[in-house]
Amino acid sequence: MAERLDRPRRERNLLARWGWLGLALSMTLVVPWLLGGEDVLDALADFPLGILALMLVMTVTCWNLNALRLRLLLDGRAGRVGQGEALAIEMAAKFALCATPGGSGGAVTLLALLARRGFPPSRGSAIFLVDQGCDMLFFLAMLGVLVSISLGGNVTWPHQGLLAIAMLGLVGLMLLVGVSLLRLPRLLRQPPSIGLRRLSAHRRRWLARRLLGCRRALIATLCLPPLRLASILGLCAAHWLLRYSLLYLAVLGVGGQADWAWTFLTQMLAMAASQISILPGGAGAAELGVGALLMPLMPATQAAAAVVVWRLVTYHLYLLAGAPAFVILVGRWLKRPSGSDVASTSTLTPASRQRSRYARQPSANAPPDSPRHPR
């Protein structure tokens, strides 16, 4: 009876998830059409196929770089993971990241797939946090480079003064967050401030756990062996440099002109703003942000066409390529026991199984108070 009552609820939740994803896919096309009008189709028809093929190759390279980084982070602790298996896990996690609001499904899928290989979720969370820590270090370094370029005066960016102030403020905020994370245990022992007193005790504990998790991730990242840390950071930098060069190629393909550094900064700001969107993949907010930052440098039609091509290889392609991997891996690994269960049962020899079977049988001479006495 309970299953019959819960089935309509599960069906409604599934329909709601597919509805959000469909709305997100439609917004990735509606927003560029509103920015550029009907001429966007003509600009897309004239897009060079050679540049599009290069963008596809770069995207596939990004997937393989992330898969190799996952293998380095696991270091054989989840069994033997080849490049193909790591790539499948990466694609399934990226599909869940792009198909759920706020990317909430990406980490859950990664932890579930690793758990089925005998890697416990606690260690999987540490791997995920170390990966996020590497990304944070890279973007902090790139933000410092962009600030230096902007203050050098050798670029002609729109609203350059305001951007320099915004980037300096962001660097200062990151440094403040870094210092706060280093002194976090001492800060948490202090009495809560007036602002935190408005939160419930549960919310304060939740916030403290999140902050401590970020601190542990940063410490775990910096405490890795130097060679392994350098390899992981190098793969991280190569991935993001290739990924954030796709918009620059899309701008060149539609006939626009923009600095590579400007397109990199545009994606950083737009993807940060897309976090406020409730749609999967930041749909709508990402297109609007990138289009608004590109239009001062080129006509609206070219900017909208560049946004469509950019989202095609950074969002739609992730969904198309990741959906089969997600369905196959999650469906296959949910049907079999976890890796830890397989390992524990496989280590039992026939003699040990026989002994354990005898140990479970009750003894006829056991006293009545013994747990082995049959009642």
Side-chain angles (χ1 to χ4, degrees), residues 4-138:
R4 288 198 299 267
L5 293 177
D6 291 339
R7 186 176 301 172
R9 183 182 304 173
R10 288 197 299 267
E11 292 178 354
R12 287 195 300 269
N13 293 336
L14 183 60
L15 290 176
R17 294 191 186 98
W18 283 108
W20 281 112
L21 182 58
L23 181 60
L25 292 174
S26 62
M27 290 297 294
T28 58
L29 300 176
V30 170
V31 172
W33 182 79
L34 293 176
L35 293 176
E38 299 179 355
D39 296 334
V40 174
L41 298 178
D42 297 333
L44 292 175
D46 297 334
F47 194 87
L49 294 181
I51 295 181
L52 181 60
L54 177 60
M55 296 174 69
L56 295 177
V57 171
M58 292 171 61
T59 303
V60 175
T61 305
C62 289
W63 298 342
N64 282 276
L65 290 175
N66 272 343
L68 183 56
R69 181 166 55 156
L70 178 62
R71 293 177 63 191
L72 287 177
L73 289 170
L74 291 175
D75 193 21
R77 289 172 292 177
R80 185 177 179 181
V81 181
Q83 182 67 17
E85 293 177 289
L87 181 60
I89 295 174
E90 169 69 18
M91 294 306 303
K94 284 296 186 289
F95 169 80
L97 179 73
C98 296
T100 53
S104 57
V108 176
T109 302
L110 178 63
L111 296 182
L113 296 180
L114 291 180
R116 286 295 162 181
R117 298 188 61 87
F119 202 68
S122 58
R123 295 184 180 180
S125 300
I127 292 294
F128 178 76
L129 291 175
V130 169
D131 182 77
Q132 297 296 306
C134 292
D135 291 342
M136 182 178 65
L137 290 175
F138 169 76

Side-chain angles (χ1 to χ4, degrees), residues 201-274:
H202 174 72
R203 286 288 184 180
R204 289 200 299 268
R205 288 193 297 269
W206 176 86
L207 181 60
R209 287 194 298 267
R210 285 298 183 92
L211 293 175
L212 289 173
C214 293
R215 184 176 183 270
R216 287 194 300 268
L218 184 59
I219 294 175
T221 302
L222 297 177
C223 291
L224 290 172
L227 182 58
R228 183 171 296 274
L229 178 60
S231 301
I232 293 174
L233 289 176
L235 291 173
C236 176
H239 164 259
W240 287 114
L241 290 174
L242 284 177
R243 170 74 182 270
Y244 273 32
S245 297
L246 295 173
L247 180 60
Y248 177 71
L249 292 177
V251 170
L252 293 182
V254 298
Q257 296 293 330
D259 294 334
W260 179 88
W262 173 254
T263 58
F264 191 97
L265 179 62
T266 295
Q267 291 174 91
M268 283 186 62
L269 297 176
M271 297 310 293
S274 67

Side-chain angles (χ1 to χ4, degrees), residues 167-223:
M167 286 189 293
L168 285 175
L170 189 55
V171 169
L173 179 60
M174 286 187 173
L175 291 177
L176 179 61
V177 171
V179 173
S180 301
L181 287 176
L182 291 177
R183 301 176 60 87
L184 184 61
R186 182 178 298 180
L187 293 176
L188 291 177
R189 287 193 292 266
Q190 301 292 331
S193 61
I194 299 178
L196 292 177
R197 289 175 186 171
R198 298 179 181 178
L199 300 177
S200 62
H202 174 72
R203 286 288 184 180
R204 289 200 299 268
R205 288 193 297 269
W206 176 86
L207 181 60
R209 287 194 298 267
R210 285 298 183 92
L211 293 175
L212 289 173
C214 293
R215 184 176 183 270
R216 287 194 300 268
L218 184 59
I219 294 175
T221 302
L222 297 177
C223 291

